Amino acid sequence: MCGIVGAIADRDVVPVLVEGLKRLEYRGYDSAGIAIVDANAVDRNDADDTHDVRRVRRTGRVAEMESAAASEGFSAGLGIGHTRWATHGGVTEGNAHPHISHGVALVHNGIIENHEQQRERLRALGYVFESQTDTEVIAHLIHHYLTRGDDLLRALQRVVKELEGAYALAVISRKEPERMVCARMGCPLLIGLGEGENFIASDVSAIIQATRRVIFLEEGDTADVTRTGVRVFDGHDAEVQRDVHVSDVSLASLELGPYRHFMQKEIHEQPRAIADTIEAIVDSGGFTPELFGKDADALLRDIDGLQILACGTSYYAGLTARYWFEAITGLPCTVEIASEYRYRKVVANPRQLVVTISQSGETLDTMEALKYAKSLGHDKTLSICNVPESAIPRASRLVFYTRAGAEIGVASTKAFTTQLVALFALTATIAKVQGRLSAEQEAELLDALRHLPGSVQHALNLEPQIAVWSERFAPKQHALFLGRGIHYPIALEGALKLKEISYIHAEAYPAGELKHGPLALVDAAMPVVVIAPNDSLLEKVKSNIQEVRARGGEMYVFTDADSHFSESEGVHVIRTPRHVGVLSPIVHAIPVQLLAYHAALARGTDVDKPRNLAKSVTVE
């Protein structure tokens, strides 16, 4: 969940490092730091050294560290940087990266599970620890092997074989000022290729201002990076060639533009993101297996059910898809939280299609759940992801890339709605190839998709009304969200968004469960948000609303223009566009996103970077 950037060039790389860390700040913002190998700063304790490592670290945002680096005159042609989301040890400057051991500087994303054993070993060798982190053991281990005669690359290759856990690593040393080395296992890391300069980063956004040509390192890879070249080695230390990709990420997508926050920008980008994702479906001629890969036709014909694995917002997308899948295909679908699935004894059915959903394609729990499923004999795997060439798609036989574009805000919005579009397309495609979807039905579903971006835009036009509601929410400490059927997962997503960015405690329940416990919480101080579209369960939801009103609860109802819902004392109603049928959950996701955003604005919280959270979850 941390961010890494590194650069080696004939120019000053400090501005590159700082800009890269600002673009990676969504991955962690507890602290930030950079280390450089400076030819003008000689280590007076070592007569053989003509260079020394300088470091600056600060808790808080990258801007704090940037000011400190400027005041200390940082400038060099080689450096590494890091923005941290704390795991081991508190948020202190001493725990911030980079960590240094006798002229070796290192940054790390991930968790080292055997760090305690390594710490004891290193203490016995005379090393002194200055931090509480698991990362510092890696720096000391590398230095230990350097003292035994290894060069920097060989020392790193020895060390990673002794580490248990997940890592992306970048290392520099005062002894070898013309190179940086890196390694990856379980956490993303890429190399950017320039002219007479090269880069490393967790995410292409960190280096897009310098290059679009990138190499994605694979599991177990190490690499040696100089100004003039890159050498990559596999987990057996054999030199290998990795493909060079040209990134299509645009700088404009990484800029805030006229919006106050990235979350607001990304909420408003949803009509375009959804339309772009639908375009891939329309361009392929409808719900065709080729949307998911060259082997998809035979594979999808052979499945007898779906197993969806995901975390957080992606899990709620999976819960929504279960309603579509079982209703349209007539096949069973199970949805599990990846972090739970990977640690329980599962009764495997290899004829199920295992679908993993991840915005980043690097969510560790989801990746490990996929590995576990494959170990149980599941060879029919599909990934739905927003980041090409990320780890989870590469580990899957089939893949569907959503076209949400870069999502910077920690609270997912457009990634969620485009995941829903992808899951809907998957459902319809499976139904079609298995003979469960007629040509007439396919045409109706495609027509519904074509109208979806317009319906989402109409929902966005409700923002002024929702902003007024949010003023009433801002002083509250608790909220309850209710939905029924396919809209229950949208209630879950609404509650998650509200607590993520406004810090108002929120829970969601199926409306029919009110009388089985949650009703005891309802009073005038707890607003109750209801997702109540004009579907077959509307009358049931109206009955549930009366249960709340009888206990003095105040209702905030998102419904449709044709639902015949009326306002009354204590019942506030906002009408989304006409009911859009099977795709209604996607449209109703928009108002709950806007409610959370404006409630957070009213409370003055940091919308894009909520406390204790980070965007890309690469730790357990």
Side-chain angles (χ1 to χ4, degrees):
M1 293 171 66
C2 307
I4 290 172
V5 64
I8 184 167
D10 287 324
R11 57 177 168 135
D12 179 18
V13 300
V14 171
V16 177
L17 300 178
V18 170
E19 179 64 22
L21 291 179
K22 287 180 178 178
R23 296 193 188 280
L24 291 174
E25 203 166 19
Y26 71 92
R27 301 176 69 93
Y29 34 87
D30 293 335
S31 59
I34 60 173
I36 59 172
V37 174
D38 189 348
N40 298 315
V42 179
D43 180 12
R44 304 303 179 188
N45 297 318
D46 190 336
D48 293 331
D49 272 337
T50 58
H51 301 75
D52 198 12
V53 170
R54 297 178 65 198
R55 170 180 65 183
V56 60
R57 302 177 291 177
R58 291 292 186 272
T59 57
R61 300 300 165 78
V62 171
E64 300 291 325
M65 184 275 298
E66 179 185 15
S67 298
S71 66
E72 296 180 28
F74 267 53
S75 176
L78 171 62
I80 54 177
H82 187 270
T83 180
R84 181 175 185 244
W85 186 83
T87 55
H88 295 75
V91 181
T92 66
E93 189 170 307
N95 287 330
H97 298 218
H99 289 284
I100 293 178
S101 176
H102 306 279
V104 174
L106 175 144
V107 291
H108 167 221
N109 179 19
I111 285 182
I112 305 304
E113 295 173 356
N114 63 334
H115 71 99
E116 289 290 356
Q117 300 94 306
Q118 296 288 0
R119 186 180 291 258
E120 291 306 310
R121 169 191 171 193
L122 288 161
R123 279 182 174 142
L125 291 171
Y127 286 92
V128 176
F129 285 82
E130 299 177 350
S131 77
Q132 302 164 298
T133 67
D134 55 338
T135 301
E136 193 178 358
V137 302
I138 312 173
H140 290 322
L141 281 170
I142 291 173
H143 177 260
H144 169 64
Y145 283 110
L146 291 177
T147 63
R148 296 175 58 177
D150 289 332
D151 68 5
L152 191 60
L153 175 65
R154 185 58 187 149
L156 177 65
Q157 289 173 334
R158 285 185 187 273
V159 167
V160 295
K161 291 176 176 58
E162 299 179 6
L163 301 178
E164 298 173 9
Y167 53 79
L169 300 168
V171 192
I172 57 176
S173 170
R174 70 185 183 202
K175 295 280 191 181
E176 300 179 57
E178 298 300 323
R179 75 194 315 190
M180 59 181 170
V181 298
C182 56
R184 128 161 236 255
M185 177 66 74
C187 295
L189 197 65
L190 58 86
I191 297 172
L193 305 176
E195 297 294 330
E197 57 187 24
N198 290 304
F199 312 88
I200 59 171
S202 300
D203 186 318
V204 70
S205 65
I207 55 173
I208 197 68
Q209 75 273 24
T211 183
R212 292 184 177 277
R213 298 174 61 236
V214 297
I215 295 171
F216 295 99
L217 295 182
E218 297 187 6
E219 291 285 89
D221 281 357
T222 54
D224 187 13
V225 182
T226 67
R227 288 174 177 81
T228 57
V230 172
R231 299 169 67 207
V232 180
F233 304 82
D234 66 16
H236 302 290
D237 302 334
E239 189 165 356
V240 293
Q241 297 295 318
R242 300 291 185 220
D243 293 339
V244 177
H245 303 264
V246 179
S247 173
D248 61 359
V249 172
S250 71
L251 279 172
S253 70
L254 305 174
E255 302 294 340
L256 191 56
Y259 297 97
R260 293 181 64 179
H261 300 92
F262 277 105
M263 183 178 180
Q264 184 188 31
K265 178 189 181 198
E266 288 152 14
I267 289 172
H268 282 269
E269 286 175 340
Q270 285 175 111
R272 180 74 265 163
I274 290 169
D276 289 344
T277 303
I278 293 170
E279 183 180 25
I281 301 165
V282 173
D283 287 350
S284 73
F287 299 115
T288 62
E290 290 73 26
L291 284 167
F292 304 94
K294 59 184 178 62
D295 298 328
D297 193 355
L299 191 152
L300 296 181
R301 288 180 190 276
D302 189 47
I303 66 168
D304 64 4
L306 217 61
Q307 170 71 73
I308 298 176
L309 305 173
C311 302
T313 287
S314 296
Y315 171 67
Y316 297 150
L319 289 179
T320 306
R322 180 173 62 186
Y323 289 90
W324 286 330
F325 188 80
E326 295 193 344
I328 295 173
T329 71
L331 297 173
C333 175
T334 58
V335 188
E336 294 208 43
I337 297 171
S339 58
E340 291 295 314
Y341 175 88
R342 61 180 287 206
Y343 287 119
R344 73 177 184 85
K345 291 191 180 297
V346 175
V347 178
N349 171 13
R351 287 197 62 200
Q352 285 181 317
L353 176 66
V354 173
V355 178
T356 49
I357 312 171
S358 169
Q359 187 280 139
S360 65
E362 61 189 52
T363 309
L364 182 61
D365 283 320
T366 305
M367 183 71 210
E368 293 301 318
L370 174 59
K371 290 179 182 177
Y372 178 47
K374 291 166 75 172
S375 76
L376 297 174
H378 286 286
D379 66 343
K380 298 175 173 64
T381 57
L382 182 148
S383 167
I384 293 173
C385 183
N386 191 40
V387 180
E389 295 300 323
S390 50
I392 295 174
R394 290 207 305 270
S396 304
R397 286 182 63 182
L398 306 179
V399 63
F400 185 99
Y401 288 114
T402 59
R403 298 184 179 183
E407 189 178 69
I408 305 301
V410 166
S412 182
T413 51
K414 61 179 179 172
F416 175 66
T417 49
T418 53
Q419 286 170 355
L420 289 173
V421 171
L423 288 161
F424 184 78
L426 175 64
T427 294
T429 302
I430 291 171
K432 180 180 177 181
V433 300
Q434 295 204 2
R436 302 166 188 262
L437 188 73
S438 68
E440 182 181 0
Q441 290 171 319
E442 180 182 15
E444 290 175 356
L445 296 183
L446 282 171
D447 189 57
L449 276 179
R450 289 190 184 96
H451 286 91
L452 181 61
S455 296
V456 169
Q457 183 59 58
H458 286 307
L460 285 168
N461 295 341
L462 300 170
E463 186 169 13
Q465 296 168 258
I466 296 170
V468 171
W469 275 14
S470 70
E471 294 292 334
R472 299 173 182 164
F473 268 75
K476 306 296 184 182
Q477 298 304 314
H478 308 277
L480 189 63
F481 283 69
L482 303 176
R484 294 202 76 151
I486 199 169
H487 294 90
Y488 166 52
I490 304 305
L492 287 165
E493 174 65 5
L496 176 63
K497 286 289 161 285
L498 189 67
K499 57 193 166 193
E500 273 184 310
I501 62 170
S502 76
Y503 315 146
I504 296 171
H505 171 241
E507 298 208 30
Y509 284 89
E513 284 293 291
L514 261 180
K515 53 188 169 294
H516 297 292
L519 200 56
L521 297 171
V522 171
D523 60 22
M526 176 179 277
V528 180
V529 180
V530 187
I531 315 297
N534 188 17
D535 60 13
S536 61
L537 292 172
L538 179 61
E539 293 305 317
K540 298 292 185 184
V541 174
K542 287 182 177 180
S543 296
N544 301 138
I545 288 173
Q546 292 306 315
E547 294 172 353
V548 173
R549 285 301 302 133
R551 275 76 180 177
E554 190 164 16
M555 311 294 301
Y556 295 83
V557 183
F558 289 115
T559 188
D560 298 326
D562 50 0
S563 65
H564 307 293
F565 230 112
S566 49
E567 287 206 16
S568 60
E569 184 180 355
V571 179
H572 313 285
V573 178
I574 288 181
R575 302 180 189 282
T576 56
R578 63 177 179 81
H579 185 53
V580 295
V582 70
L583 296 174
S584 176
I586 300 176
V587 175
H588 279 275
I590 309 305
V592 296
Q593 293 172 355
L594 288 169
L595 179 63
Y597 173 73
H598 284 283
L601 276 189
R603 288 170 70 92
T605 63
D606 191 334
V607 172
D608 286 335
K609 300 179 178 68
R611 67 189 183 204
N612 304 330
L613 301 178
K615 181 72 175 175
S616 182
V617 186
T618 56
V619 297
E620 290 191 70

